[in-house]
Amino acid sequence: MSTAPTHEADVVIVGAGISGLIAARTVLAAGLTPVVLEADDRVGGRILTQDALPGLPVELGAQWIGDTHHRMFALAAELGVPTYPQYDDGETSYDLAGSGVLRQSEFHSRFAGELAELEKVFRLLDELAAEVPPEAPWLAPAAAEWDSVTAGAWYDGQGLSPVARTLLEICTVGILAVPTVEVSFLHLLFTIQTCGVTSELFAESEGGAQTTRFVGGTGEIPRRLADLVAEHLVLQAPVQLIEHGADQVTVTCRGGLVARGRRVIVTLSPTLAGRIMYDPPLPGVRDQLTQRLPNASAMKAFFIYDEPFWRADGLNGQLISDVGPARMSNDTCLPGDDHGVILLFLEGEQARTYGRLPHDERRAALTAELVRHFGDKAARPECYVDGEWADRQWTRGCYNANCGPLVWTTFGQALAAPIGAIHWAGTDTATQWSAYMEGAVEAGERAARAVIAELT
Amino acid sequence: MSTAPTHEADVVIVGAGISGLIAARTVLAAGLTPVVLEADDRVGGRILTQDALPGLPVELGAQWIGDTHHRMFALAAELGVPTYPQYDDGETSYDLAGSGVLRQSEFHSRFAGELAELEKVFRLLDELAAEVPPEAPWLAPAAAEWDSVTAGAWYDGQGLSPVARTLLEICTVGILAVPTVEVSFLHLLFTIQTCGVTSELFAESEGGAQTTRFVGGTGEIPRRLADLVAEHLVLQAPVQLIEHGADQVTVTCRGGLVARGRRVIVTLSPTLAGRIMYDPPLPGVRDQLTQRLPNASAMKAFFIYDEPFWRADGLNGQLISDVGPARMSNDTCLPGDDHGVILLFLEGEQARTYGRLPHDERRAALTAELVRHFGDKAARPECYVDGEWADRQWTRGCYNANCGPLVWTTFGQALAAPIGAIHWAGTDTATQWSAYMEGAVEAGERAARAVIAELT
């Protein structure tokens, strides 16, 4: 181990996802020297663009930005990554609460009352979320009450019809990637508030969080960011130990690599940040927080066809269903490419159940669901790719961390507060679009600015 | 680091709490060689006996055993540690739901109806818990339903009076050490079932879990166990990495110490076990489980007086209150010693709130509560000692790990199931008296037997 190199820097940054790379760039721009230690053999963290076929990349991780993701739009422009709109022509296919497969128009007319119920709940959620300070959810006037009940129990108390309750669950699990009984209602309201309003969060078109994609794949963002800090980046350097003093940190990786600096910014998800050994040890409140912020359970599966055959049938490639292994899907064809690409989301319970099945069984179950909604052509994809995140050693779950009851009100103050020379970033510590790429940028910038202010 | 020693053994055991020490002893008795790696500078884990005054030990951690803790009684006898009964003469002092301070006789007559409500709930809990297989709670007939609701929400649904609901919360938090809205109802039923019935769990006298103490302190148990395996025990060896193959493990500690063996038994609490780096990495289901089993929040505070003055007033030194920083207390005087010792429990919310206060403020708040219940003499202790567990780097919370909604049904199967050469122990993996010393013995023996069967 004595042969492993030692890196000297002003700021050691743990993790080369967007938050870490943004922090490195910001530190560098201030005339300080960063070193970024990434455990994996690649940058990007929860962004993972992978070729399904040559020249046909799919996004196993973060994929979209939305209209209010101003930091990400600016970043893409700066990095020279063009964007394009998510395809959204045609009808969604539904199968909910025993309805059988119905086109959107028919579903909407048959369940107009149920959809109105849902709208009413969304308005109420917006009203309540507006009372939650995103930088301090524990200060919401009703924080204690909202943090003592699960989102699922609160939903159950709204007197909704089965169709409305099911739709509400699907919408919410599509964001949180865990069943709503696993998170506190305050956490749900926090999530809504950091994103603006429910229409931003849940809508897929006209101002939602998933309107826009990146030419060449989302992976272009971290790749180009990494190019800007390339000489300060070390891959395959899993951090095991952070020794810290008032103005000095020593960060030791598996294999013996050591980085020394004056500050460290840890950008890992809270649960992974909690696995690092700290010397001196961190206060109990911080430690118990990281025991209580589990990463969610999400998985994406892509079917590639020779053409987007559903479009000719007037369908937009989206399904919303409570029947099969995927509750939602998307048309994720590439511009200038003839292939048809359908993305199926497995989130929460589905990610867990089907994620543990053998690959072929999972694929077969997903295929059957596609055929039910889009017809027999769906049975003959040219290729199939899926990606699970809980198995990935340096991520251990997507999309983000969620709080169960009483975590925000009891431990929330330890989420982003620096501890001596240690600062925290990563999208889970953001106050705008937490859990999104937008939040990763915000958090990386915030932590970098705080460190720069201390060091310059 | 090349100068650090390498230990060769058949079985590497991580953690020198009761579970690890029992496993080591069992392995040794089978003719195999163990090596126990303990991060701390002492054995015992969540047992911590400390002298408050010379010759007057108090228990900052595990303290009692109960009549059905057969393994612990046998172990104490074998190790030559005598036991003695918990003092329980006199009346408990109550102050609940605005009642003001009342002696037990008065409280019982004034709130007879409320106590009857509570008894009815206990009987119902016993009935439901009997349907939960302790080795596989997810197989309970109503597991999905019970795991989707918090224990707190289930309690709220029982239509109880404020006094009964408050008492129920205090009883339960006294076991789980977290508010009942943080745990799933299935987890509560599992806890009851692994202990027998609610009367075993909640009762302090006549057959409960806290009837019997150890002469010289609970610490005598791990100390004498450690003596039996002394030459196989390494202290101050925090495990950072477990490399594992079909029949080979290499365990690396901070500082470079390496232990090699054919099997490893990890006896840490699940959350701490999840912080070790494993190579190859563990499956997602195991990893996400360890993200979802936070250690609870408990703290004990001891007031030592020149005599147990409350006894002369007909009081047993117990209080049950929803007013102050401690919801319960105990007379924990030592046999053959004249001092009066009162133990105050801070559990769940109280441990968090008061545990973060400066020492003197916490002591003052606890003193005021004692004075209210036991009179002015309580204001003048000879000495005060308290102990918090979340701050302790190698424990990070007591008494045990609790599951929120859907953890048991979705991830529970990964709790104790070996993964190749890696076996799991620790009281949180036990099926009888999980979370108690009794469970630690069971789990240590179970893991050791499994390893012995594989190696001999």
Side-chain angles (χ1 to χ4, degrees), chain A residues 75-161:
Chain A
L75 181 62
E78 180 198 330
L79 297 173
V81 181
T83 62
Y84 63 97
Q86 166 65 30
Y87 181 82
D88 191 32
D89 291 340
E91 295 196 89
T92 298
S93 179
Y94 287 83
D95 187 358
L96 281 179
S99 70
V101 174
L102 295 176
R103 290 206 172 200
Q104 182 173 329
S105 48
E106 196 178 345
F107 182 84
H108 279 204
S109 70
R110 197 187 292 183
F111 296 106
E114 286 83 350
L115 291 167
E117 290 175 52
L118 199 60
E119 275 309 305
K120 210 174 141 193
V121 173
F122 284 155
R123 295 297 75 78
L124 179 54
L125 288 171
D126 285 337
E127 275 174 40
L128 301 180
E131 297 178 26
V132 178
E135 71 290 348
W138 53 90
L139 296 181
E145 177 194 337
W146 293 339
D147 211 22
S148 294
V149 62
T150 67
W154 189 89
Y155 283 177
D156 288 342
Q158 299 308 301
L160 296 170
S161 63

Side-chain angles (χ1 to χ4, degrees), chain A residues 173-197:
Chain A
V173 174
I175 305 299
L176 303 175
V178 294
T180 59
V181 298
E182 292 184 23
V183 302
S184 96
F185 184 54
L186 180 63
H187 181 74
L188 173 67
L189 294 176
F190 161 80
T191 302
I192 294 168
Q193 173 70 340
T194 78
C195 301
V197 290

Side-chain angles (χ1 to χ4, degrees), chain B residues 277-316:
Chain B
M277 202 175 280
Y278 297 86
D279 185 1
L282 302 187
V285 57
R286 167 72 197 182
D287 193 278
Q288 289 219 330
L289 171 79
T290 63
Q291 296 179 32
R292 287 166 167 79
L293 276 166
N295 289 331
S297 306
M299 181 166 188
K300 294 166 85 178
F302 293 86
F303 287 77
I304 322 290
Y305 302 94
D306 56 1
E307 60 169 352
F309 55 86
W310 53 90
R311 293 183 179 181
D313 297 330
L315 294 167
N316 61 13

